[in-house]
Amino acid sequence: MTEQGFPVEAGHVLMFRRAIGEAATLEPEGLAPPTFVSAGAQFAPTHPLRPTPGEPWFGSGRTPSGTATSGGGVPGGDPAGGSASTLHAEQHFTYHRPVRVGDVLTATSRPGEEWTKEGKRGGSLQFTSYVTEYRDAGGELVVTARSVAVTTGRPPSASDGGEA
Amino acid sequence: MRRGEVAVGDAREVTVVDDLTRTQIVMYAGASGDYNPLHSDEVFATQVAGFPGVFAHGMLTMGMTGRALTDWVGEDALLSYGVQFRGQVWPGDTLVTTLTVTAVHDDSVDLAVRTTNQDGRDVVVGTASARLET
């Protein structure tokens, strides 16, 4: 179980609204859009999908990957190489109340169910899920999120039902 | 949405993005904190990960679809929203979201949510529920 503080800031909500295509302006007392809580990753001291200063990054620089030669070293990928990848398969949110600028949320994550399914074109698909609860400063539940990831043995086609 | 003013089968179709740009994908990476190079690093996406190019975060598509949803039901009225990601979204794609009322309860509605690309393929399929105003 991991716990992470997440202050909901007006400038951050503004950036997020623009990124999802809104002609947004700063709203110091506004609501956050429904998928905003996923941006709580910004407040984790380190994050596998953010470069850490002084450490190799799996994206390209002088070479196509700072950590991999042919697919290995990708988070969720096959460390021995190949082209395994982990993609986002499902995302579900339950809103107990809207998220507002000024909220100071605490996100608590725990692993959920895991299961395996045969892919449509051979190879097995491994599904893992996480449940994250976002509570406000008073300890009241604001949003419950459930996220499902799928790991495939190769880059999936659209029909695999996976999307990062 | 107001009680008494909505019925099963009511639907809306919204173009949520026309010609998705790589820059918008980068904006989403910056705002969300998901810097997976699959979404912004063509060299990595093609040469290391084996994809035809960079592609959008699933959560960007869910976010754009969610905007269509809250534009209709109201941002403070959403009770639940969940999707499956059915296919990649690529730069240049145009996405259309269709929202259909599937059930009307005393004080809430259920909706089917579907976003398709310019080829008619599903990219996001899911459900939502929202509180009705009195």
Side-chain angles (χ1 to χ4, degrees):
Chain A
M1 199 163 84
T2 57
E3 206 173 273
Q4 180 59 53
F6 176 13
V8 178
E9 300 162 343
H12 191 194
V13 171
L14 174 65
M15 285 178 70
F16 191 91
R17 286 189 183 280
R18 286 181 176 154
I20 60 171
E22 285 186 43
T25 53
L26 190 69
E27 289 185 53
E29 295 180 0
L31 300 180
T35 61
F36 180 75
V37 290
S38 56
Q42 295 282 16
F43 298 95
T46 61
H47 188 256
L49 297 177
R50 184 202 319 143
T52 302
E55 290 184 15
W57 172 239
F58 69 102
S60 70
R62 278 191 296 271
T63 54
S65 170
T67 60
T69 50
S70 60
V74 180
D78 175 0
S83 50
S85 52
T86 297
L87 298 174
H88 199 171
E90 295 179 34
Q91 182 68 49
H92 304 271
F93 296 107
T94 303
Y95 305 98
H96 309 283
R97 69 158 172 84
V99 175
R100 300 183 190 98
V101 170
D103 278 332
V104 180
L105 302 177
T106 300
T108 309
S109 287
R110 61 175 192 272
E113 297 168 77
E114 295 189 12
W115 65 98
T116 303
K117 214 167 85 175
E118 290 308 306
K120 285 176 186 159
R121 289 178 222 162
S124 68
L125 303 171
Q126 291 172 336
F127 292 85
T128 53
S129 65
Y130 266 87
V131 176
T132 305
E133 289 182 347
Y134 297 86
R135 291 179 184 273
D136 65 18
E140 292 298 315
L141 197 54
V142 180
V143 179
T144 306
R146 180 171 167 268
S147 140
V148 179
V150 58
T151 303
T152 63
R154 60 190 156 67
S157 66
S159 61
D160 283 336
E163 228 279 358
Chain B
M1 278 185 174
R2 289 184 173 281
R3 192 184 301 175
E5 293 176 10
V6 60
V8 171
D10 284 359
R12 265 197 188 185
E13 199 176 273
V14 183
T15 299
V16 295
V17 65
D18 180 4
D19 188 3
L20 177 69
T21 61
R22 289 168 181 79
T23 302
Q24 187 172 351
I25 297 172
V26 169
M27 287 168 76
Y28 189 78
S32 69
D34 179 348
Y35 302 99
N36 190 330
L38 283 177
H39 305 303
S40 58
D41 183 338
E42 194 90 16
V43 172
F44 174 85
T46 56
Q47 296 181 31
V48 181
F51 286 95
V54 296
F55 54 93
H57 308 72
M59 289 306 296
L60 171 53
T61 305
M62 186 178 189
M64 294 189 294
T65 300
R67 188 162 43 86
L69 185 60
T70 52
D71 280 352
W72 193 13
V73 304
E75 211 158 50
D76 57 349
L78 203 58
L79 297 170
S80 69
Y81 173 34
V83 301
Q84 290 185 334
F85 300 105
R86 294 283 181 88
Q88 262 95 12
V89 171
W90 306 97
D93 279 0
T94 291
L95 304 181
V96 173
T97 295
T98 306
L99 306 167
T100 310
V101 175
T102 55
V104 180
H105 309 290
D106 283 348
D107 51 10
S108 68
V109 287
D110 299 337
L111 298 108
V113 177
R114 178 178 297 269
T115 297
T116 56
N117 67 13
Q118 62 283 352
D119 301 319
R121 292 188 67 145
D122 293 338
V123 291
V124 151
V125 175
T127 58
S129 59
R131 190 179 300 110
L132 287 171
E133 291 170 48
T134 49

